[in-house]
Amino acid sequence: MEIVLVTTVIASLFLVIAAAEPLAARLRLPFSVILAVLGILIGTGAIFFLRTELTDALDPVAEALVGLPIRSNVFLYVFLPTLLFQATLGMNLRRMLDDWVPILVLSVVAVVVATLSVGYALSWVSALPLAACLLIGAIVSTTDPSAVVSIFRSISAPRRLARIIEGESLLNDAAAIALFGLFMGFVMLGNPDPDLGEALARFPLLVVGGAFTGWLAARIAVWFMALFRRHELAQISISVALPYLAYITAEQSIGASGVISVVAAGVTLNLIGPGRLPPQAWANLRELWGVLAHWAGALIFILAALLIPRLLEEVRIEDFALVGVVILAAIAARAVILFGLLPFLTMLTLSPAVERPYRVAILWGGLRGAVTLALALAVTESFRVPDGIQRVVGILATGFTLFTLIVQGTTLRWVIARLGLDRLSPIDEALSRQVVAVALQTVREDVARTTENYELSHDTVRSEAKRFGQRLDAAVKAAEESADILDRDRITLGLIALAGQERDTILARVRERTISARMAEQVLTVADRLIEGTRSGGRSGYQRAARRSVAYGRVFRAAVRLHSRLGLSEPLARMTADRFELLLSHRLILRDLGSFINGRIRRIHGRRVADLLRELLTRRIEMVETSLDGLRLQYPGYAEKLERRFIRRTALRLEEREYTAMREDGLIGAEVYTALMQDLDARRAAAEDRPRLDIALQRVELVRQFPVFADLDETALKRLGRVLKTRYINAGEVIFAKESTAKSVFFIASGAVELETAGQTWRLGRGEMFGQMSILMNKVRRAEARALVPSTLLVLDEARFRRLLKRSTALQDAVRASAHKRGIEPDELFSA
């Protein structure tokens, strides 16, 4: 086929893609449904004009469409990696890690259940070999969540729910395609009844090999991107090569799953890319991949749909019955997951509670699309697959896809409306009336000032003011009628708005570059957790999310264990530096929220709610300050370096704004502006580098600050710094319980600890020690120690403590003072 004709056809398909989006919005149908329908119409029209005798004027165009060099390899090696890679780049992986259990269980179990359900149902009602039936089950187990997720976002469904659906679908596709490759091999080898145990045993090897290949490829790609830090186009070009090379290497060289490799490469780049690439380069990279994925998804739908008429040419009456079996088995398998497994995970507190209407919507919104059609085409074009199996696979996969798109896709919004998911709750309805009233009052004041500034005619102003006043009166009346919102609900709504404002402030700071791209995802994750915690648990949910934002997580504790047991300090140093920067970013953001509470929150929800929100905000600021103070004490001087870095970055942003303003005002020319910006970019690149944290050096400085070690010389301090173990404790966590064996003494580096014994409590702060009484008296613990705030403790074992006590006068004096405070005779301690 001539290249000119092929180019013309493909360019015309892009026009179809452009027309499909506004058409889908106008008809209120999923974009994928419109693309599929247009593709089928174009393909049917091409076949019609080729075979009709009415005219032959359109034969060249029809031949070009029918004869397009579309092969399954184009879908598998070009389009599929593009879709999967962009999906991983577009996801908030840090938030998905919070829900990794339901995402992983739902995706893997859903694929296995759907594959087995469809496969065995077909084997019972048809003469197809089991391997071919399981192959069909793997093909139709992939899902396209775009339609249901877009509708969920438009009706303000829980974000966590949409995130779980997206994550489940991504891993669902990866697992399904891995199983497809497995059963495709059995079919091509002529093994009609494969051993399921052997097949499933090979599945983890496909996954692990693909994941390692993708991770390694992404690490190498990021290393090269960091070398080309000042060359944005080079960085983006490397990212374009990454998914395809990862896919081909895994499939052709290692024999692992190329799909898993692409997903692993995307996840790795998503996690480490923002910290290694300049913010603008990372933003442009994601935008480019968004466009590529949009084109790839649209083209795969249209090109696959063009082939549907040919796939259905050989359809028989009995094939319709088999399509019905596939539909029923697939829906039943999905229902088992949504109404059986998901509630079970909720009961185990591993998954959020999903209300029944949302589960019904997810069940009906399980559309199949591009991936299913691409896998079916791969079977129909393989010469190693028997012709009879090729025909049935193509017809069943195509028929099932058409059912989900045309029947489920076109009725999804109607189903959601019938379930009542498109209506505001009574509280949101009442709030919206009050928001409108407050907003219109503000608008009236602003319009009055504008009309005065422009000296408009009084008659026109009076006429428009009267119309606006009528609308304002109606809004105020409606707001007064709905003034019965409970204070508890107002507090919840106010906290959601406050967390939303926090998120907007973070984004503004990221654009201004006062918050680094490395920290952007983490602080945005905290804001998202605040929103979701408040939606699910009200004020207590907000407070839990706030405490979690300053708590020591499992990954941080793992880094501590690596440092203390294996001497690997790099992970702990990096995570401690991240914690420093994260807390500084939080403090910067939280101090900007007070004006929002005094302004909009107070006008909408009243003074009492605003005062309570201000109190909660003050507590959050205090928690952040306490955690920062603890880090400052542990690592003196490092916080100052980070603050200096923040000042330099702020100065650079202001300097850039001045240069831009001068350029726009015509005070400097393009050449001068370019030279100034090049110099500015060089200084900004230097300011982006975060100072290195040396944990070993900082440990000696920390030990030196304790008064009980004041009489130790430098050599003894260094030796003590090496043997002291660091323990990070979250607020409310028990350090040791009553009746436990005393083995260690604890020194408070930061935070506060409460000791409780015999109905009495003592509160200890920085620089104090505890746990020594039980050791010196040779008794079990009589007290319970609990952290009041996130605290850092230095731990010394019993033997080293006794040796240190013998030679340190300052430590002996501290033990005596502590004994006096608790009513214990000091001589009893030293004689024991």
Side-chain angles (χ1 to χ4, degrees):
M1 187 183 299
E2 292 186 11
I3 187 65
V4 175
L5 197 54
V6 173
T7 304
T8 303
V9 171
I10 293 177
S12 301
L13 292 181
F14 273 95
L15 294 178
V16 173
I17 294 171
E21 188 172 8
L23 183 60
R26 185 175 184 82
L27 298 177
R28 294 176 61 81
L29 290 173
F31 180 55
S32 55
V33 172
I34 298 297
L35 287 174
V37 171
L38 292 176
I40 293 171
L41 291 176
I42 294 172
T44 304
I47 294 175
F48 171 79
F49 282 113
L50 274 180
R51 297 180 179 179
T52 186
E53 297 181 358
L54 295 177
T55 178
D56 57 0
L58 297 175
D59 283 0
V61 178
E63 289 176 357
L65 286 170
V66 173
L68 274 176
I70 307 170
R71 296 291 180 266
S72 62
N73 285 344
V74 175
F75 293 100
L76 295 178
Y77 283 88
V78 178
F79 293 138
L80 200 57
T82 307
L83 292 174
L84 294 174
F85 191 71
Q86 189 277 331
T88 57
L89 288 183
M91 289 179 175
N92 187 340
L93 294 175
R94 298 184 188 279
R95 293 296 291 118
M96 284 190 174
L97 289 176
D98 293 341
D99 298 308
W100 70 272
V101 173
I103 289 174
L104 192 61
V105 171
L106 287 175
S107 59
V108 175
V109 175
V111 167
V112 173
V113 170
T115 301
L116 296 180
S117 174
V118 173
Y120 278 101
L122 281 176
S123 69
W124 290 335
V125 300
S126 71
L128 289 171
L130 179 60
C133 295
L134 292 172
L135 177 64
I136 296 170
I139 290 172
V140 302
S141 63
T142 62
T143 58
D144 179 9
S146 58
V148 69
V149 168
S150 63
I151 293 176
F152 275 6
R153 285 174 177 165
S154 68
I155 62 176
S156 300
R159 292 186 185 180
R160 191 179 182 191
L161 179 58
R163 189 169 58 247
I164 288 176
I165 294 171
E166 285 183 316
E168 182 242 338
S169 175
L170 176 65
L171 297 182
N172 177 300
D173 286 353
I177 295 169
L179 281 178
F180 165 81
L182 201 61
F183 292 122
M184 185 72 167
F186 286 126
V187 171
M188 290 191 297
L189 291 173
N191 185 355
D193 296 306
D195 183 356
L196 269 183
E198 178 189 348
L200 294 177
R202 290 176 55 191
F203 182 67
L205 298 178
L206 294 174
V207 173
V208 173
F212 177 76
T213 304
W215 173 82
L216 183 62
R219 297 290 301 191
I220 294 172
V222 170
W223 184 78
F224 277 108
M225 288 179 180
L227 288 181
F228 305 144
R229 186 179 183 86
R230 297 187 183 181
H231 304 280
E232 182 178 316
L233 294 178
Q235 294 172 332
I236 294 176
S237 300
I238 292 173
S239 79
V240 172
L242 172 60
Y244 306 107
L245 293 178
Y247 187 95
I248 293 170
T249 302
E251 287 280 342
Q252 303 296 328
S253 301
I254 300 176
S257 170
V259 173
I260 299 291
S261 180
V262 171
V263 171
V267 167
T268 305
L269 183 60
N270 194 348
L271 288 174
I272 65 178
R276 302 291 183 88
L277 304 183
Q280 192 59 45
W282 178 250
N284 292 339
L285 183 150
R286 291 181 65 169
E287 285 183 10
L288 173 67
W289 273 104
V291 174
L292 291 177
H294 175 73
W295 288 341
L299 284 173
I300 198 173
F301 256 112
I302 291 181
L303 293 175
L306 285 173
L307 302 176
I308 286 177
R310 275 185 281 167
L311 289 174
L312 298 180
E313 280 184 334
E314 301 179 11
V315 67
R316 302 168 186 168
I317 297 296
E318 59 268 22
D319 294 333
F320 288 100
L322 294 180
V323 171
V325 170
V326 173
I327 292 170
L328 293 176
I331 292 178
R334 190 73 172 162
V336 168
I337 298 298
L338 290 170
F339 295 94
L341 183 59
L342 193 57
F344 179 69
L345 292 178
T346 302
M347 187 175 65
L348 297 177
T349 68
L350 296 175
S351 174
V354 181
E355 298 175 5
R356 183 177 292 271
Y358 284 113
R359 278 182 276 163
V360 174
I362 295 170
L363 176 64
W364 195 247
L367 309 185
R368 270 58 169 185
V371 176
T372 302
L373 292 175
L375 297 180
L377 285 170
V379 176
T380 60
E381 291 188 1
S382 175
F383 65 91
R384 297 174 64 185
V385 176
D387 293 340
I389 293 178
Q390 284 185 20
R391 187 192 70 81
V392 175
V393 169
I395 289 173
L396 295 188
T398 304
F400 180 61
T401 301
L402 289 177
F403 173 82
T404 63
L405 291 174
I406 296 174
V407 178
Q408 292 178 245
T410 56
T411 58
L412 182 57
R413 281 192 179 273
W414 178 82
V415 170
I416 285 177
R418 295 288 294 176
L419 293 170
L421 297 178
D422 59 343
R423 293 190 294 269
L424 290 176
S425 66
I427 294 175
D428 288 336
E429 189 71 40
L431 177 67
S432 67
R433 296 193 189 103
Q434 295 200 8
V435 168
V436 169
V438 172
L440 290 180
Q441 289 174 1
T442 304
V443 169
R444 182 177 63 177
E445 296 167 2
D446 292 342
V447 169
R449 284 194 294 268
T450 302
T451 54
E452 289 178 4
N453 293 336
Y454 286 94
E455 298 181 355
L456 301 177
S457 67
H458 293 293
D459 292 338
T460 303
V461 171
R462 191 181 303 111
S463 174
E464 290 299 316
K466 183 178 179 180
R467 290 182 56 192
F468 191 86
Q470 291 173 349
R471 185 185 173 199
L472 177 58
D473 292 340
V476 171
K477 184 178 179 181
E480 290 174 350
E481 291 174 354
S482 62
D484 55 347
I485 304 177
L486 298 176
D487 280 351
R488 179 187 60 195
D489 296 329
R490 287 188 178 278
I491 291 168
T492 298
L493 294 170
L495 287 173
I496 292 172
L498 184 64
Q501 176 65 19
E502 182 173 339
R503 197 179 197 283
D504 293 341
T505 306
I506 292 167
L507 292 173
R509 292 288 187 178
V510 171
R511 287 193 294 269
E512 295 171 352
R513 300 188 183 183
T514 50
I515 292 180
S516 68
R518 180 198 296 267
M519 284 296 104
E521 291 291 337
Q522 295 189 40
V523 289
L524 285 172
T525 295
V526 171
D528 289 339
R529 284 179 181 148
L530 289 168
I531 294 172
E532 293 173 10
T534 308
R535 286 188 181 277
S536 60
R539 188 201 310 188
S540 59
Y542 180 90
Q543 290 174 314
R544 280 195 299 272
R547 287 193 295 270
R548 181 179 178 180
S549 68
V550 297
Y552 298 106
R554 289 189 295 269
V555 178
F556 189 92
R557 292 171 183 269
V560 172
R561 286 193 290 272
L562 283 175
H563 174 63
S564 59
R565 296 178 184 178
L566 302 179
L568 299 176
S569 61
E570 180 60 30
L572 180 59
R574 185 173 64 252
M575 296 195 69
T576 303
D578 283 347
R579 182 174 173 81
F580 248 125
E581 191 171 357
L582 181 66
L583 291 171
L584 286 172
S585 300
H586 275 316
R587 187 181 65 176
L588 174 70
I589 297 300
L590 293 177
R591 293 188 181 278
D592 289 342
L593 298 179
S595 58
F596 179 75
I597 294 176
N598 295 333
R600 292 188 177 274
I601 294 291
R602 185 170 179 176
R603 295 187 67 177
I604 294 174
H605 294 292
R607 175 179 296 179
R608 190 161 69 174
V609 174
D611 290 342
L612 180 59
L613 264 59
R614 195 180 300 108
E615 180 183 346
L616 291 174
L617 181 64
T618 302
R619 290 180 190 173
R620 281 192 66 195
I621 294 174
E622 289 174 354
M623 284 194 297
V624 171
E625 291 287 3
T626 301
S627 300
L628 265 177
D629 289 343
L631 285 174
R632 283 195 184 97
L633 292 168
Q634 280 183 267
Y635 308 106
Y638 189 75
E640 180 184 347
K641 292 179 181 178
L642 288 179
E643 288 170 348
R644 289 181 182 277
R645 175 172 172 252
F646 168 75
I647 293 172
R648 294 191 192 106
R649 291 168 65 182
T650 303
L652 288 169
R653 175 177 59 84
L654 296 175
E655 185 178 350
E656 181 183 20
R657 188 176 67 184
E658 287 297 314
Y659 293 156
T660 303
M662 292 180 184
R663 175 74 180 91
E664 292 173 351
D665 293 340
L667 297 176
I668 56 176
E671 296 82 0
V672 175
Y673 177 76
T674 301
L676 292 172
M677 292 305 296
Q678 287 176 347
D679 176 64
L680 188 74
D681 288 340
R683 286 183 285 128
R684 175 171 282 145
E688 286 291 332
D689 294 332
R690 190 170 63 187
R692 184 175 176 81
L693 175 63
D694 190 334
I695 289 180
L697 179 63
Q698 300 286 340
R699 175 66 67 83
V700 177
E701 294 296 323
L702 175 62
V703 173
R704 187 179 284 115
Q705 294 181 34
F706 279 84
V708 295
F709 304 136
D711 58 348
L712 298 181
D713 58 26
E714 192 67 22
T715 303
L717 281 173
K718 289 182 179 179
R719 188 163 56 246
L720 181 61
R722 286 194 295 268
V723 299
L724 282 168
K725 304 297 183 184
T726 305
R727 185 174 171 186
Y728 297 91
I729 309 294
N730 287 323
E733 188 175 338
V734 174
I735 301 167
F736 56 73
K738 293 180 182 179
E739 306 303 325
S740 61
T741 304
K743 297 180 179 179
S744 305
V745 178
F746 301 86
F747 300 87
I748 303 175
S750 66
V753 173
E754 183 178 75
L755 299 179
E756 181 184 356
T757 179
Q760 293 181 307
T761 59
W762 291 274
R763 292 193 172 185
L764 308 178
R766 184 177 69 87
E768 297 188 88
M769 65 177 169
F770 61 96
Q772 73 278 6
M773 297 299 178
S774 299
I775 287 179
L776 295 176
M777 297 175 70
N778 296 317
K779 295 181 179 179
V780 296
R781 307 272 193 200
R782 296 302 176 90
E784 180 184 82
R786 186 185 300 270
L788 296 174
V789 296
S791 305
T792 305
L793 309 177
L794 299 182
V795 186
L796 190 64
D797 63 77
E798 178 182 354
R800 289 190 173 95
F801 173 73
R802 288 185 181 277
R803 289 199 297 269
L804 182 63
L805 184 63
K806 289 180 181 178
R807 66 174 186 268
S808 173
T809 304
L811 186 58
Q812 293 172 10
D813 293 340
V815 170
R816 290 190 178 94
S818 178
H820 275 302
K821 189 182 297 184
R822 301 179 194 181
I824 300 174
E825 182 60 40
D827 293 337
E828 295 180 13
L829 299 176
F830 291 96
S831 61

